[in-house]
Amino acid sequence: MTIPFWVDRLGWTLVHFLWQGALIAVLYAAARRMLREPQARYALACAALTLMIAAPIATFRILRPTEAAPANPYVGQIPVSSGPAAPSGQATATMMSVQHDRVMPAVVFVWMAGAIVFWIRLTGGWFIAARMRRTFVRQAPADWQRTLDRIRTRIGISRPVRLLVSALVQVPTVLGSLRPIVLMPVGALAGLPAEHVEMLLAHELAHIRRHDYLVNILQAIAEALLFYHPAVWWISGHIRAEREVCCDDVAVSVTGDAFTYACALADLESRRPEWMSPALAADGGSLQDRIGRLLNQPVRKAHPRSGAAVAATVLLAIGAWGLLAQSQLTRDTFEAVSIKPNDLGGGTSNSNSTLGRLDASMTTKSLIEMAFGLKRFQVSGGPGWMDEINYTIAATSGRVQLTRPVLEQCLQSLLADRFHLVYHRETREFPVYDLLAAKSGAKLKPAATTKQGTSSQGRNGAFHMTGTDLTMADFSGFLAGHLDRPVLDRTGIDGRYDVKLEWSSPEMPDASLPSLFSALQEQLGLRLEAAKGPVEILVVDSVDKPTETEHFQIRTVY
């Protein structure tokens, strides 16, 4: 069963971000060592986190397939190819859909479960912040509001800021961006020295001038979406720490007394239980580090450089697997191949695969159709000899059973290695037939067996078809093989059916049988209607005639 294309895209996007995030973190760490100013470090950390957010978005868009109508089986089935390097990876897309149908849904499910948990956390922080704005709060004394306005003017904030006293906070807290407020703990305005309170207010107003509340919300969103990557949390932690340092510098520049400000921060050490800090508040950083910096006595800490290096190496290794997996996963190939031209020419094609061996006689164009599961009208371009020279092909595989997916992968590898096929895909408006129910109603027999299959034979202009356990989409695909254009199922009929159909060939009419169009109406209660619809075309950019020598190939499993 093929998984939805968006699940595969999203899963690969998440895997690719492992190496992308690790690479961004390494570059960020290298650039950070050259900076000393807190504001420059803050800007660098913000830029790195922004790049981390942009990387998955860009990856998801790059992995986006060509626009397709979901109900159209002739769109979205050709693996992507681009440029001369494409042949080595042309078998990959089909193989991915076979081997990762279980892995990618699990990856996406785990990510979604984690993202939901963090979104609930983020939403809870939002409600807590909203509750803190209106619950157990009162207007601060007028003198302190005037002090706040005076400091606000000195810092350069034009919009009004309210000062409220709250019973729910233990430290000064800023909430809001468009209509910001500063919450002061109950007793802080009267219990702390006035100069300490003014410095703390200057610090909180610096958050407002810098729009830190809004930046913090964006940080929380990034953490919720990219929660599984340690580098996101590492850089986000740096943003919070540098943010506080920048605001400390603003507070000191307003008051001009670093020692007094350090004393004011020290008073907060016993008033700052982590569980009281709302998830959306613009705070962060180590208070001990900040005080040490203000007093020119930085705290020396042991940095687990070896652990960080190991973590970065592991993430890069995992990410490298994700990067290379799309081009170097197990690619089935024939172990030995013989290709020789014969005298049959175009218009003749036959093949037989059994016990790990393929024997075929076909043109290059027919080989392309077989390798990619396409109809004749879905292959375009290329030199004329593609449809004129017939080749006898004998190939053996290490697999006992050449299932259709495996055979297609082997043939795609053969076309890339021996014919040097380079192609691209296009979606074009193409004449199609819509398969509809006749006005008299469909005459379909429910399937009597679960063994799906079709068989048809033609002789002297008379065609006989038998199909078992078919959906209308399956039947449409069969009809397309006998017509000059795609057939799209527009019947709206669900279920599975056994089908028998007899009709006369237009090239050699049999007077005793109706045409295919009439047979559909008379025998099955269905009809074909000419229309136009999107059809994906494989366009051959270049292809070479193969050499006649036998070619042996080692089958490698990654």
Side-chain angles (χ1 to χ4, degrees):
M1 181 182 67
T2 302
I3 62 176
F5 74 91
W6 68 268
V7 173
D8 191 66
R9 284 169 58 199
L10 181 56
W12 279 113
T13 297
L14 297 173
V15 171
H16 279 304
F17 183 68
L18 290 174
W19 70 265
Q20 292 169 345
L23 180 60
I24 293 171
V26 169
L27 296 176
Y28 161 77
R32 188 173 187 269
R33 292 176 64 89
M34 297 183 291
L35 301 177
R36 292 293 179 265
E37 290 297 322
Q39 184 58 42
R41 288 189 167 201
Y42 175 78
L44 178 65
C46 288
L49 188 63
T50 301
L51 193 57
M52 285 184 165
I53 297 173
I57 297 174
T59 302
F60 190 80
R61 290 182 62 85
I62 290 172
L63 296 176
R64 180 179 60 185
T66 304
E67 290 184 5
N72 190 340
Y74 303 99
V75 177
Q77 55 181 310
I78 306 172
V80 179
S81 169
S82 58
S88 63
Q90 287 173 357
T92 304
T94 303
M95 173 273 307
M96 284 174 57
S97 65
V98 175
Q99 299 193 12
H100 297 290
D101 283 0
R102 295 182 179 180
V103 176
M104 286 309 169
V107 169
V108 173
F109 175 80
V110 171
W111 173 79
M112 283 187 170
I116 289 173
V117 171
F118 281 96
W119 275 105
I120 292 174
R121 173 179 175 268
L122 180 60
T123 304
W126 179 273
F127 282 115
I128 291 174
R131 178 171 177 262
M132 291 171 69
R133 292 180 68 100
R134 61 178 184 271
T135 305
F136 298 114
V137 295
R138 59 179 174 82
Q139 192 71 34
D143 289 344
W144 280 115
Q145 181 65 55
R146 284 192 291 270
T147 300
L148 180 74
D149 292 337
R150 173 172 53 81
I151 301 173
R152 173 174 61 84
T153 302
R154 292 183 62 185
I155 290 179
I157 301 175
S158 58
R159 61 185 183 278
V161 179
R162 295 176 63 200
L163 179 62
L164 302 177
V165 176
S166 172
L168 297 179
V169 299
Q170 297 295 317
V171 293
T173 303
V174 170
L175 294 179
S177 180
L178 297 177
R179 294 183 298 172
I181 63 172
V182 176
L183 299 179
M184 292 295 289
V186 172
L189 296 181
L192 293 175
E195 61 271 21
H196 286 191
V197 175
E198 290 185 14
M199 290 180 171
L200 296 175
L201 290 177
H203 177 95
E204 300 306 318
L205 288 171
H207 281 305
I208 296 175
R209 190 186 73 177
R210 293 163 41 84
H211 305 286
D212 287 340
Y213 186 82
L214 180 59
V215 174
N216 195 64
I217 293 177
L218 298 178
Q219 274 183 262
I221 293 175
E223 292 167 351
L225 294 176
L226 304 174
F227 65 91
Y228 64 96
H229 204 303
V232 172
W233 296 95
W234 180 60
I235 292 179
S236 188
H238 282 185
I239 292 176
R240 290 189 169 89
E242 298 296 346
R243 171 192 299 151
E244 295 303 312
V245 171
C246 290
C247 292
D248 289 343
D249 289 346
V250 173
V252 171
S253 68
V254 170
T255 62
D257 189 347
F259 179 78
T260 303
Y261 180 61
C263 293
L265 290 179
D267 288 344
L268 294 176
E269 186 67 31
S270 60
R271 301 170 178 263
R272 191 179 172 85
E274 288 295 329
W275 64 272
M276 289 297 297
S277 179
L280 296 180
D283 60 1
S286 167
L287 191 58
Q288 185 180 9
D289 291 346
R290 291 163 59 192
I291 293 175
R293 175 181 172 273
L294 290 168
L295 299 178
N296 292 320
Q297 295 179 356
V299 179
R300 294 186 177 273
K301 296 185 295 183
H303 297 282
R305 295 180 179 178
S306 59
V310 171
T313 302
V314 171
L315 286 175
L316 283 172
I318 295 174
W321 169 82
L323 179 63
L324 299 176
Q326 289 174 293
S327 60
Q328 291 189 356
L329 289 169
T330 305
R331 187 163 69 110
D332 284 290
T333 61
F334 291 118
E335 291 184 342
V337 180
S338 173
I339 305 177
K340 298 180 180 180
N342 57 45
D343 299 327
L344 296 178
T348 302
S349 177
N350 62 78
S351 64
N352 178 52
S353 59
T354 179
L355 297 178
R357 179 181 176 89
L358 171 69
D359 292 288
S361 175
M362 58 181 59
T363 63
T364 304
K365 185 172 183 179
S366 297
L367 188 63
I368 293 173
E369 295 166 12
M370 184 177 180
F372 293 96
L374 304 177
K375 305 297 182 183
R376 192 165 188 79
F377 47 75
Q378 288 183 272
V379 180
S380 175
W385 61 262
M386 281 178 44
D387 207 21
E388 298 170 356
I389 302 178
N390 202 299
Y391 293 94
T392 299
I393 301 172
T396 59
S397 169
R399 292 178 178 263
V400 176
Q401 294 294 331
L402 280 176
T403 61
R404 184 180 182 86
V406 171
L407 179 59
E408 289 184 354
Q409 293 170 37
C410 291
L411 291 176
Q412 290 174 27
S413 299
L414 174 63
L415 286 166
D417 297 335
R418 296 295 300 277
F419 291 80
H420 305 141
L421 173 66
V422 177
Y423 63 90
H424 70 276
R425 61 179 183 176
E426 295 179 2
T427 301
R428 303 175 182 173
E429 281 292 315
F430 206 84
V432 300
Y433 286 119
D434 287 342
L435 180 65
L436 305 167
K439 294 181 179 179
S440 59
K443 307 172 185 177
L444 298 172
K445 181 181 178 182
T449 176
T450 57
K451 186 176 181 180
Q452 183 180 9
T454 59
S455 63
S456 63
Q457 58 181 353
R459 179 178 294 181
N460 298 326
F463 281 88
H464 303 270
M465 177 268 184
T466 300
T468 57
D469 195 36
L470 301 181
T471 65
M472 288 297 96
D474 297 331
F475 185 55
S476 298
F478 169 82
L479 292 176
H482 292 269
L483 295 168
D484 59 347
R485 62 185 70 177
V487 178
L488 307 182
D489 174 26
R490 307 294 193 203
T491 61
I493 299 175
D494 298 323
R496 312 185 77 88
Y497 303 91
D498 293 336
V499 178
K500 289 186 178 181
L501 188 65
E502 296 181 330
W503 72 95
S504 173
S505 168
E507 289 81 12
M508 299 176 58
D510 185 331
S512 64
L513 293 174
S515 67
L516 178 57
F517 293 85
S518 298
L520 281 170
Q521 281 197 308
E522 296 170 5
Q523 300 170 29
L524 299 177
L526 303 174
R527 63 186 178 89
L528 292 172
E529 185 176 285
K532 282 192 174 182
V535 176
E536 192 167 73
I537 306 297
L538 184 149
V539 181
V540 176
D541 297 318
S542 64
V543 64
D544 298 332
K545 294 180 182 179
T547 58
E548 296 183 25
T549 57
E550 274 198 354
H551 176 68
F552 291 90
Q553 201 169 31
I554 302 299
R555 183 172 179 271
T556 304
V557 178
Y558 296 90

